[in-house]
Amino acid sequence: MTIQGVRVVVDSGLANLPRFSPGRGMTRLETLPVSKASADQRRGRAGRTAPGVCYRLWSEHVHQGLVPFNRPEMLCADLASLALKLAQWGVKDPRDLKWLDPVPENGFESARALFKRLGALDDGARITAHGQRLLTAGIHPRLAHMVVKAMGFGQGFMACCLAALVEARDFMGTGQGGTDPDLGLRLEILQQMAKKGRSAPGSSVHMGRAQSVLKQARRLADRFKITSRSMDIPMAGRVLAFAWPERVARKRGANSLAYLMASGSGAYFSFANSLSNETFIVAVHLDGNPKSARIFLGAAFREKDLETDFSVQTRARVVWDKKSRSVRAFTQKEYGKILLGKIPLADPDPQAVTAALVQGISEAGIGILPWTKDVVKFRDRVTLLRGLKDLDPAFEALPDLSDDGLHASLDLWLAPFLDRISSLNGLGAKTLETALKSRISWDQQQMVKVQAPTHMTVPSGSRIPIQYRDENGPLKNPVLAVRLQEMFGLMQTSAIARGKLPLTLYLLSPASRPVQITRDIENFWKQTYKEVKKDLMGWYPKHYWPDDPGSAQPKARAKPRH
């Protein structure tokens, strides 16, 4: 607006702007530097009707650093009142209206959710009679709701004092270690001032601020037609919880300064104080950190008031317990994310138990299952053949029994065999083997038995186990470790998988130490054996080392019989 006769403007370069405070959950006025656009607008107040001058109380260098324009209020203010007004107008979707700046969807939905929780909106997002009352109260809807609820049990004036306290600058002085965060102490001071007109002797109080808070509380009380000025200060937490139901918090540990709020966020005191020993509190003023916020103001809260004033849920829980490696079933009471208590559940849902057990195994990895050596070897044999699908289409039809494959399909192969089992101790190796082999048909098992055998009969007549795994995991080329003397007479390397995958031979000395590794035994006899024979004859002179191993008699014993 143009004011006649203004010839001089003195600009401080500051402005009080509304900003949403995550720490309080409401909008507050903050003193911030002006933008260049605002400074130009202020300069224009002078010289509208006659020549004028503008004195800016900052340097040209600072001016160059100012933001060009203020951020739109829509993007930085609390949308609570807007959400309630739109509901009053019958607007369910703000996108139905034309805005200079679009309404932030997340902030608007958060405000709507708050009002549904406070009973100001119904499930259809229509304003209720209670919502109409909050809208005309002249204070933030959170605080108006708090006052109205507190009036129901005779604590309306205390609610007005709390509303004035949280909106004003704190009047408590800083003591040793910091300012005590207990709002109850501030209420006591206001109570004494209301009775005597002054604060308690010796208390560190900014009297001007305290008197301003008390005046505002009285104005609110008059607005709500509250005549009684009594205050039951131990009920302060109950009153505050109506405004900040999501900030009811429980202490995390007996000696901890940290709390868990009903919203799921963390909060903490930076030093021990009159509130930090309380099991339950209401955290009113925080520093705004979304994960773990420092508490500046709060009040003690009584757990019994949750049952009286709010919806406490009771539900059955069936969960995996990592420590005992078993499923635990219990009924628990909770308010938001706060656990209030739990008792064992005698007869849990069998499907829920199985699901929790499978989930626990999935989280820990299938390595915790009671695998036997034989079952692991069976898995390795199947996995080997499945990887040779190019050799035979039948191999491709085999199921994936690798660690990754079994982990991804626990619901398919293991869950059906977990009936009445609630712990890993209850899952025996035999049950695990049965569950695993249920994925493979009888014909496939017979194919695995033939094409990836557990043992190989060597020329000496011994049945030697085939190694499908080493310390690094499954082998792509299985190993047959056998004494060299037991292979005399064999001119073609043993092979599996329809004879297309030669075994890797670890040819051993009489003392079972490897003397040669080969996948072509014929070449070994012809090219390498003579050199190896010289060493073996020196190490084991009493043993039989023929010149022609291809036609020699294999020996199953380490030494020849006398």
Side-chain angles (χ1 to χ4, degrees):
M1 59 184 296
T2 298
I3 302 176
Q4 296 292 330
V6 174
R7 303 287 296 275
V8 177
V9 168
V10 180
D11 189 354
S12 67
L14 300 174
N16 283 328
L17 300 174
R19 290 292 184 268
F20 177 70
S21 169
R24 282 183 164 88
M26 302 185 303
T27 293
R28 289 174 56 86
L29 289 177
E30 293 187 15
T31 303
L32 302 170
V34 296
S35 65
K36 289 182 179 178
S38 293
D40 289 343
Q41 187 182 46
R42 291 179 177 186
R43 181 187 60 184
R45 299 306 94 196
R48 279 295 184 93
T49 58
V53 61
C54 175
Y55 295 99
R56 288 175 171 168
L57 305 185
W58 65 91
S59 67
E60 182 66 26
H61 172 73
V62 171
H63 185 79
Q64 297 303 319
L66 296 178
V67 296
F69 299 95
N70 289 329
R71 191 182 182 201
E73 185 176 344
M74 180 71 78
L75 303 180
C76 53
D78 184 8
L79 300 182
S81 295
L82 175 64
L84 207 53
K85 287 179 181 177
L86 290 183
Q88 183 187 39
W89 299 342
V91 178
K92 291 186 177 182
D93 190 342
R95 291 174 295 184
D96 293 340
L97 303 179
K98 294 182 179 180
W99 304 87
L100 293 177
D101 300 288
V103 178
E105 186 173 344
N106 290 340
F108 187 82
E109 289 304 321
S110 295
R112 224 178 220 177
L114 170 66
F115 287 129
K116 287 182 180 180
R117 188 170 189 173
L118 300 183
L121 297 178
D122 61 19
D123 291 339
R126 295 179 294 268
I127 194 167
T128 63
H130 181 60
Q132 294 280 8
R133 187 174 185 183
L134 301 188
L135 194 57
T136 58
I139 56 176
H140 192 281
R142 278 186 187 267
L143 303 179
H145 175 75
M146 175 180 71
V147 174
V148 171
K149 286 294 186 180
M151 290 170 61
F153 50 90
Q155 295 302 311
F157 182 66
M158 183 167 70
C160 291
C161 289
L162 289 169
L165 278 168
V166 299
E167 287 195 309
R169 290 184 64 187
D170 191 13
F171 58 70
M172 288 285 288
T174 302
Q176 185 176 2
T179 303
D180 194 299
D182 190 359
L183 282 167
L185 298 177
R186 292 155 176 80
L187 289 174
E188 291 176 0
I189 293 170
L190 293 178
Q191 190 176 51
Q192 291 181 8
M193 290 177 62
K195 291 179 179 179
K196 303 178 181 179
R198 57 184 175 85
S199 64
S203 61
S204 179
V205 177
H206 295 279
M207 285 298 297
R209 297 179 192 173
Q211 289 171 351
S212 177
V213 168
L214 187 56
K215 288 180 182 179
Q216 174 63 8
R218 286 169 172 164
R219 283 195 292 268
L220 287 176
D222 292 340
R223 188 181 304 167
F224 282 92
K225 296 181 172 55
I226 299 170
T227 57
S228 172
R229 295 296 190 261
S230 64
M231 288 196 286
D232 186 354
I233 294 177
M235 297 182 70
R238 181 186 181 188
V239 173
L240 288 167
F242 287 115
W244 288 275
E246 76 280 10
R247 293 191 180 180
V248 173
R250 181 171 187 167
K251 197 176 184 67
R252 289 188 185 271
N255 299 317
S256 175
L257 296 177
Y259 287 76
L260 174 66
M261 295 190 291
S263 64
S265 298
Y268 69 94
F269 291 112
S270 59
F271 60 94
N273 55 74
S274 59
L275 282 183
S276 59
N277 288 327
E278 298 287 344
T279 303
F280 285 87
I281 65 169
V282 179
V284 175
H285 182 195
L286 308 169
D287 70 3
N289 188 308
K291 293 184 178 180
S292 183
R294 179 182 173 186
I295 305 170
F296 296 115
L297 290 175
F301 183 79
R302 300 178 298 191
E303 182 181 356
K304 66 179 183 179
D305 290 331
L306 283 176
E307 298 276 3
T308 304
D309 300 329
F310 300 103
S311 175
V312 174
Q313 293 184 336
T314 301
R315 60 172 177 163
R317 294 289 307 277
V318 181
V319 297
W320 171 255
D321 181 28
K322 293 181 180 179
K323 187 174 181 180
S324 64
R325 302 209 299 182
S326 64
V327 176
R328 295 284 184 248
F330 50 86
T331 299
Q332 75 177 29
K333 292 171 62 177
E334 53 191 31
Y335 174 67
K337 299 298 183 180
I338 299 175
L339 176 63
L340 302 176
K342 58 185 178 181
I343 57 175
L345 186 61
D347 189 23
D349 180 4
Q351 292 184 348
V353 173
T354 297
L357 183 54
V358 170
Q359 179 64 28
I361 294 170
S362 178
E363 292 175 358
I366 65 169
I368 66 168
L369 294 173
W371 301 107
T372 63
K373 291 182 179 180
D374 288 342
V375 174
V376 171
K377 191 169 187 176
F378 177 75
R379 286 179 51 200
D380 292 341
R381 291 156 61 205
V382 173
T383 301
L384 176 73
L385 290 181
R386 191 170 186 272
L388 300 174
K389 57 186 178 182
D390 293 339
L391 300 181
D392 190 326
F395 296 165
E396 186 176 5
L398 290 168
D400 185 359
L401 300 189
S402 66
D403 285 356
D404 291 341
L406 291 179
H407 184 273
S409 58
L410 282 168
D411 287 333
L412 294 177
W413 69 273
L414 185 59
F417 293 85
L418 297 179
D419 186 37
R420 301 184 182 277
I421 297 175
S422 61
S423 68
L424 280 182
N425 290 336
L427 175 60
K430 188 63 177 177
T431 300
L432 180 62
E433 181 180 1
T434 301
L436 182 74
K437 291 187 175 180
S438 69
R439 298 208 66 196
I440 305 177
S441 68
W442 172 256
D443 290 340
Q444 287 178 323
Q445 291 186 41
Q446 297 308 303
M447 179 182 68
V448 172
K449 183 178 180 180
V450 174
Q451 302 306 328
T454 60
H455 293 72
M456 180 67 68
T457 301
V458 297
S460 66
S462 299
R463 292 186 72 247
I464 307 298
I466 300 174
Q467 299 174 22
Y468 289 90
R469 171 184 291 263
D470 63 12
E471 64 273 9
N472 297 318
L475 297 169
K476 293 184 178 180
N477 298 108
V479 170
L480 186 70
V482 57
R483 288 190 181 94
L484 184 149
Q485 295 158 300
E486 297 198 56
M487 302 298 280
F488 291 157
L490 182 67
M491 298 303 293
Q492 185 175 358
T493 303
S494 301
I496 60 174
R498 308 219 185 274
K500 297 178 181 179
L501 181 64
L503 297 175
T504 299
L505 300 177
Y506 279 46
L507 299 175
L508 311 177
S509 70
S512 296
R513 296 187 179 91
V515 296
Q516 185 69 27
I517 299 175
T518 182
R519 299 186 70 193
D520 186 351
I521 195 167
E522 181 179 7
N523 184 66
F524 168 70
W525 295 137
K526 293 179 179 180
Q527 304 295 332
T528 313
Y529 173 72
K530 291 180 180 180
E531 295 299 323
V532 173
K533 174 186 172 183
K534 294 177 183 179
D535 294 332
L536 291 174
M537 289 180 68
W539 295 335
Y540 308 99
K542 295 183 179 181
H543 286 254
Y544 175 54
W545 306 111
D547 293 332
D548 183 9
S551 60
Q553 183 69 28
K555 303 291 184 179
R557 293 177 177 272
K559 294 183 178 181
R561 291 183 179 179
H562 295 289

